[in-house]
Amino acid sequence: MLRNSSPDQYAVFGSPIKHSKSPIIHEQFAKQTGQDLVYTAQEVSAEYFSAAVDDFFANGGQGLNCTVPLKELAWQYANFRSERAERSKAVNTLVLQDDGSILGENTDGIGLVTDLVSNQGISLKDSSILILGAGGASRGIIEPILSQLPDNVVIANRTVVKAINLADEFAGTVPIKGCDFDALAGQNFTLVLNATSASLTNQLPPLPEGLLAENGVCYDLAYANEPTTFVRWGQANYAEKSLDGLGMLVEQAAEAFYLWRGVRPETQLVIDSLRPQMKS
Ligand code: NDP
């Protein structure tokens, strides 16, 4: 295909978007891999989503990331979706195809699994996993987690019916069930994932004592300049590792970059470069 000399356009749409780290991440990926592209963050509300995406692709856009509160709308917008995105009912990456159609993908779950397994050396096989929260992020990570063949998965949520419905939706070979936080008393898990948004307001779901197995790992999908409330909870409960979601953020971006450009960037360099900035 003939291209003019201006760089290819990519963006992340969301609201609020001001604090997004995605432009810095993609700029580093592009520099590292010698790709000529521009990636911007644009404030787009749900109301204007469809018109804004039409406009973006009509004006030369090649690929889009969509974040809160647009992932379900992006799922609807896509002309077709990967099997994983289809099941998660949420799309964070739109990819322009050669025939002009738009593919919808969800790279959040692969991002999480890559960070846990490849970066942190944590095997999910045969583990017992607790997922706190049953919102969009939880929905996006379940399939990639189940594909690692854990022993069992429990989803706990404040609004219990959402946890039960989500577990029912993903029922298959790996035992998975939904419950409320009270039902966690007396159970323990080798991996506890916080997929609630509680950390964003410095809150913590009500978690019983003894929830984390010996040598267990805690992972908060949220990230912040300082350790999140959940990361601190993990540390106080003697987690072998208590991690935040910065690695997941960079890994989901790398997966999107690969879908758009066909090149895999080196992620650890980027994670390492962002970590000190977050402390400042
Ligand atoms: P949603 O708004 O879709 O879901 C929020 C979830 O959090 C719901 O299950 C809600 O419960 C629960 N919740 C909110 N506040 C509390 C509280 N105080 N106590 C207990 N439960 C609470 O958000 P998302 O699923 O999109 O995002 C969840 C988190 O994941 C966010 O912190 C987000 O930043 C992070 N994330 C990180 C990514 C990364 O790359 N690192 C990627 C995507 C998300 P209820 O249903 O009862 O309201």
Side-chain angles (χ1 to χ4, degrees):
M1 193 196 290
L2 264 182
R3 294 244 168 115
N4 61 28
S5 56
S6 59
D8 289 342
Q9 306 288 319
Y10 296 87
V12 57
F13 285 3
S15 183
I17 203 68
K18 210 168 65 197
H19 299 294
S20 172
K21 296 192 186 304
S22 294
I24 304 176
I25 294 171
H26 283 281
E27 188 188 314
Q28 291 196 32
F29 287 167
K31 203 181 274 177
Q32 200 195 95
T33 57
Q35 299 286 306
D36 189 21
L37 61 86
V38 171
Y39 186 109
T40 55
Q42 299 183 29
E43 179 81 25
V44 173
S45 66
E47 194 187 349
Y48 297 107
F49 176 73
S50 183
V53 182
D54 284 349
D55 196 50
F56 177 77
F57 283 115
N59 286 294
Q62 298 290 307
L64 255 190
N65 282 138
C66 299
T67 186
V68 176
L70 307 173
K71 292 183 187 176
E72 285 79 8
L73 291 173
W75 186 90
Q76 288 167 23
Y77 188 96
N79 299 116
F80 66 107
R81 296 166 282 264
S82 71
E83 208 180 308
R84 184 188 315 124
E86 190 68 34
R87 250 191 128 180
S88 74
K89 298 204 171 75
V91 154
N92 75 338
T93 305
L94 294 173
V95 188
L96 179 67
Q97 306 293 290
D98 285 343
D99 65 1
S101 64
I102 307 288
L103 162 71
E105 176 58 286
N106 189 322
T107 66
D108 283 338
I110 316 171
L112 171 69
V113 169
T114 304
D115 193 36
L116 281 166
V117 177
S118 305
N119 299 344
Q120 301 295 337
I122 298 161
S123 170
L124 306 191
K125 189 160 176 358
D126 298 329
S127 58
S128 57
I129 301 180
L130 171 62
I131 301 173
L132 304 168
S138 189
R139 189 167 261 296
I141 64 174
I142 293 175
E143 174 80 37
I145 285 174
L146 293 176
S147 73
Q148 297 292 305
L149 302 179
D151 180 68
N152 67 90
V153 174
V154 171
I155 305 167
N157 197 45
R158 191 169 58 178
T159 312
V160 65
V161 66
K162 284 168 65 181
I164 292 169
N165 289 346
L166 204 50
D168 285 351
E169 233 179 275
F170 286 88
T173 46
V174 175
I176 178 166
K177 66 174 189 188
C179 64
D180 60 16
F181 295 120
D182 289 344
L184 296 174
Q187 300 191 55
N188 73 18
F189 300 88
T190 49
L191 174 62
V192 182
L193 297 165
N194 182 25
T196 74
S197 48
S199 290
L200 302 180
T201 49
N202 295 322
Q203 291 178 303
L204 188 68
L207 303 175
E209 280 190 22
L211 189 64
L212 192 62
E214 210 179 323
N215 304 323
V217 169
C218 288
Y219 193 106
D220 197 344
L221 272 62
Y223 49 86
N225 291 347
E226 299 299 326
T228 67
T229 36
F230 181 72
V231 168
R232 289 203 305 272
W233 180 87
Q235 291 163 345
N237 282 270
Y238 308 105
E240 185 167 292
K241 290 188 177 193
S242 194
L243 307 161
D244 73 12
L246 180 66
M248 172 181 174
L249 177 77
V250 174
E251 294 297 346
Q252 64 75 29
E255 201 61 35
F257 191 89
Y258 176 70
L259 283 171
W260 294 329
R261 309 299 298 186
V263 198
R264 278 201 185 277
E266 164 60 54
T267 49
Q268 196 58 51
L269 292 169
V270 180
I271 297 171
D272 292 346
S273 79
L274 288 173
R275 190 58 81 188
Q277 286 179 27
M278 291 172 70
K279 295 276 178 239
S280 64

